Amino acid sequence: MINKLNELKSKAVESIEKAKTVEALEKIDNTLMGRKVGKLNDILKGIKDLSAKDKALVGKLANEVKTVISEKLEEKKKELNKKTLNDNLEKDFIDVTLPGKKIDQGSLNPISIVQYELEDIFKSMGFMVLDGPELESDYYNFEGLNIPEHHPARDMTDTFYIKSKVKGQKSKVENKQVLRTHTSPVQVRAMLKYGAPMRAVVPGRVFRNEAMDASHEHTFNQLEGLMIDKDISIANIIAVMNKLLTGIFKKDVKTRLRPGFFPFVEPGFELDINCLICGGKGCSVCKQTGWVELLPCGMVHPNVLKAGGINSDEYSGFAFGLGLTRLVMMKYGIDDIRHFASGDLRFLKQFS
Ligand code: PHE
């Protein structure tokens, strides 16, 4: 019996040591010390047949074994509990000093960045921001702007003609659709919708059948401006243009105003700015002239006011067609227009 008890003790200690979970310990506890099925009790069943002396000896040893096993179990239980706590803490630990994971975010195209800045500048001067269709009728793109069907001015802006007919449009000319060559068609649309007096800017994409090079693309962006009121003059154009340029470049930019021909303005001007890519020395963007055509403008032609349903004896107005893409190139020193639509992330990420 003594041997059995000693054997049980060493086996028990060994298995307790090996236990990996609290559940495993409980199982060991039950099989060893359980009242009904416990191994210790099994051994002690025979104690009643022993002599009094042996009884005392075995009883003492049995108690010792019991205490050792209980203590071992308790000790191991504590150890395992501590370990699970530590494991859990480790699992849940967040090192707040580590740099965060960067979520890839898109960014605005530089054209949109400058467009929104311009919209803010114009809104502060009481201008509405309007939109117009990119697929435009021949009427609004040309006719309504004083450019009749066979006028040579159409050659300046060769574009993409679409054959489809548009429902509800009656005249032959109106049936023809073009990808708009400029944002100016919204001039007549806006006059018809809002009447006079009126101030509006119209940012948008325009399309031309161009031979592409560093400064020409088939698709680019303009920002049309229109101001109609009583007694509008060239002085108003110049004031607004200056406000626009200083607002965008945040410094004085050298400009020059020269006569320019557009059938929908009279008189018409070209406002050029000193090329900011080469500082005026001459480069591929300014075609070696040192100047960049940026802001064609002029007083709205009476025929256009008429097409917009506005009485030209009472009202006058100015209009401009800012080359938004060019302005962005000047602002950021971008030397090739083809970068904008290239989809090259290395280019786009510079503006995020
Ligand atoms: N629409 C003209 C162009 O794209 C620019 C312009 C607009 C000129 C308004 C005068 C007035 O070339």
Side-chain angles (χ1 to χ4, degrees):
M1 222 177 231
I2 290 183
N3 280 348
K4 271 190 182 167
L5 281 173
N6 277 333
E7 200 185 324
L8 180 78
K9 186 173 85 178
S10 51
K11 273 195 179 158
V13 170
E14 198 181 314
S15 57
I16 292 170
E17 215 90 279
K18 278 190 194 150
K20 293 226 161 58
T21 60
V22 178
E23 289 78 50
L25 274 186
E26 272 160 12
K27 226 176 179 176
I28 295 172
D29 193 357
N30 266 338
T31 41
L32 292 178
M33 323 273 261
R35 290 235 171 126
K36 281 187 190 149
V37 289
K39 282 190 180 155
L40 188 65
N41 272 356
D42 262 1
I43 298 171
L44 293 179
K45 262 178 200 157
I47 202 166
K48 55 182 184 322
D49 307 325
L50 295 178
S51 67
K53 196 177 143 222
D54 285 351
K55 251 186 201 164
L57 215 68
V58 170
K60 199 172 158 234
L61 183 63
N63 272 340
E64 253 176 54
V65 170
K66 218 174 180 172
T67 333
V68 169
I69 293 178
S70 299
E71 276 175 9
K72 266 276 158 204
L73 277 169
E74 211 40 47
E75 199 180 290
K76 188 74 186 179
K77 206 176 194 171
K78 271 192 196 147
E79 188 189 311
L80 284 176
N81 276 337
K82 205 166 150 198
K83 195 171 168 291
T84 15
L85 187 71
N86 278 344
D87 283 354
N88 283 343
L89 278 180
E90 217 161 89
K91 245 196 288 164
D92 296 345
F93 179 70
I94 298 170
D95 185 351
V96 289
T97 63
L98 283 177
K101 265 192 208 154
K102 199 163 183 262
I103 299 169
D104 255 353
Q105 260 186 328
S107 56
L108 287 176
N109 186 287
I111 293 182
S112 305
I113 297 175
V114 176
Q115 179 188 319
Y116 297 155
E117 275 180 41
L118 284 166
E119 287 178 9
D120 281 348
I121 294 171
F122 279 100
K123 276 191 248 173
S124 77
M125 291 191 280
F127 282 71
M128 303 183 274
V129 179
L130 301 180
D131 208 358
E134 292 179 347
L135 184 58
E136 186 53 282
S137 70
D138 181 290
Y139 175 76
Y140 285 116
N141 198 79
F142 295 121
E143 287 277 321
L145 290 168
N146 202 29
I147 314 173
E149 197 163 5
H150 297 293
H151 196 285
R154 290 201 177 199
D155 294 346
M156 296 199 297
T157 57
D158 188 18
T159 185
F160 304 95
Y161 291 83
I162 298 346
K163 276 186 190 145
S164 71
K165 279 190 171 183
V166 172
K167 260 193 199 161
Q169 286 186 341
K170 281 168 251 108
S171 94
K172 246 195 199 163
V173 183
E174 278 188 50
N175 274 341
K176 269 200 266 167
Q177 299 281 296
V178 299
L179 283 181
R180 66 175 179 191
T181 60
H182 48 184
T183 40
S184 301
V186 189
Q187 284 188 28
V188 179
R189 286 181 177 275
M191 286 184 223
L192 289 172
K193 188 160 178 192
Y194 299 101
M198 189 238 307
R199 298 172 193 192
V201 285
V202 188
R205 284 200 305 178
V206 302
F207 311 87
R208 291 191 195 171
N209 185 6
E210 292 276 9
M212 275 160 60
D213 60 27
S215 55
H216 293 90
E217 254 279 27
H218 51 69
T219 304
F220 55 100
N221 290 63
Q222 287 189 333
L223 181 121
E224 192 81 8
L226 181 66
M227 180 170 179
I228 294 173
D229 212 326
K230 289 178 177 158
D231 303 323
I232 295 289
S233 74
I234 294 164
N236 296 99
I237 302 188
I238 295 172
V240 170
M241 300 294 104
N242 280 340
K243 175 105 183 171
L244 182 169
L245 290 173
T246 45
I248 285 296
F249 290 109
K250 317 260 185 311
K251 62 173 179 192
D252 280 339
V253 189
K254 233 168 136 189
T255 56
R256 70 176 186 189
L257 198 65
R258 57 192 170 88
F261 172 70
F262 303 93
F264 37 95
V265 284
E266 181 59 41
F269 307 100
E270 286 279 7
L271 190 136
D272 301 341
I273 69 164
N274 207 231
C275 180
L276 298 175
I277 305 276
C278 61
K281 282 193 226 98
C283 66
S284 60
V285 174
C286 62
K287 294 183 213 135
Q288 315 304 331
T289 63
W291 293 94
V292 178
E293 282 179 22
L294 189 69
L295 260 163
C297 53
M299 302 301 295
V300 180
H301 195 285
N303 287 351
V304 178
L305 289 172
K306 202 164 137 199
I310 290 173
N311 182 352
S312 59
D313 290 334
E314 201 182 341
Y315 288 101
S316 55
F318 74 75
F320 63 85
L322 167 70
L324 184 53
T325 306
R326 280 215 183 134
L327 180 77
V328 175
M329 290 174 78
M330 290 295 121
K331 183 173 159 100
Y332 293 112
I334 300 166
D335 61 4
D336 198 317
I337 194 172
R338 290 164 290 195
H339 285 309
F340 289 103
S342 66
D344 189 337
L345 290 179
R346 289 169 306 175
F347 170 71
L348 293 171
K349 276 188 174 157
Q350 294 175 64
F351 304 95
S352 55

